[in-house]
Amino acid sequence: RVRVRGLSIFRPIIYGNTAVVLTQKERDASLTPDHTHRWTVAVRSAASPPDGDQVGGADDLSYFIKRVSFKLHDTYPNPSRNVDKSPFELTETGWGEFEIQIRITFVTESGEKAATLYHHLKLHPWTASGEPEIPPLDVAMKLGPVHSWQYDEVVFNDPYQNFLNILTSH
Ligand code: SLL
């Protein structure tokens, strides 16, 4: 277990969510008819191509990430959701925005502590005025999917030599 002292290496990621309004048909067929949106929260590679391969491709972060835990609002059953393989994403339905805690556990070889990020789940489109008003669902549906993503860099300082090898061979 040899550390490479003085070296920093980072991996660029994006994290956030997309959301769409459910159709009336989908809501009628649902066990939770009060839910208005379907959303996906994810941690992805910032180096991924738009339609990148999810498994084994540029967006597969499993060479350095072992688990991503998404901690949802307490109104959800089993609010702590673990994703143990790529793609590190979770799809749910709901009616409200809330803060999602995203806990990233790295592969054992890294010797790194878990990292925690926070993302405000965004369901409602931004308005031109910047006012936090929520448009009616039929208006929101016409506006199309909502996207809210942030760029970040996971930095590893003084990485173990074998972990550095893993990082640089991908
Ligand atoms: C709000 N502070 O009041 C937020 C809470 C909670 C969202 C939003 C589904 C829950 C369920 C859901 O969308 N919860 O299915 O019970 O806006």
Side-chain angles (χ1 to χ4, degrees), residues 1-2 5 7 22 29 34 40 58 63 73 83-84 99 106 110 128 137 146-147 152-153:
R1 308 280 284 156
V2 180
R5 304 265 174 212
L7 189 90
L22 293 171
D34 58 323
T40 298
Y63 68 97
H73 193 267
V83 181
D84 291 320
E99 181 150 88
F106 301 103
S110 73
L137 285 176
V146 166
H147 302 275
D152 207 346
E153 290 165 354

Side-chain angles (χ1 to χ4, degrees), residues 1 3 8 18-20 24 44 47 58 65-67 69-70 79 84 87 113 117 121-123 132-133 135 150-151:
R1 308 280 284 156
R3 283 191 181 275
S8 283
T18 62
V20 293
Q24 193 56 53
R44 305 193 191 288
I65 293 178
K66 184 163 74 175
R67 162 178 289 181
S69 297
F70 299 98
D84 291 320
K113 288 184 293 188
L117 306 169
L121 177 71
K122 183 113 179 101
L123 302 184
E133 74 180 80
Q150 296 171 77
Y151 175 85

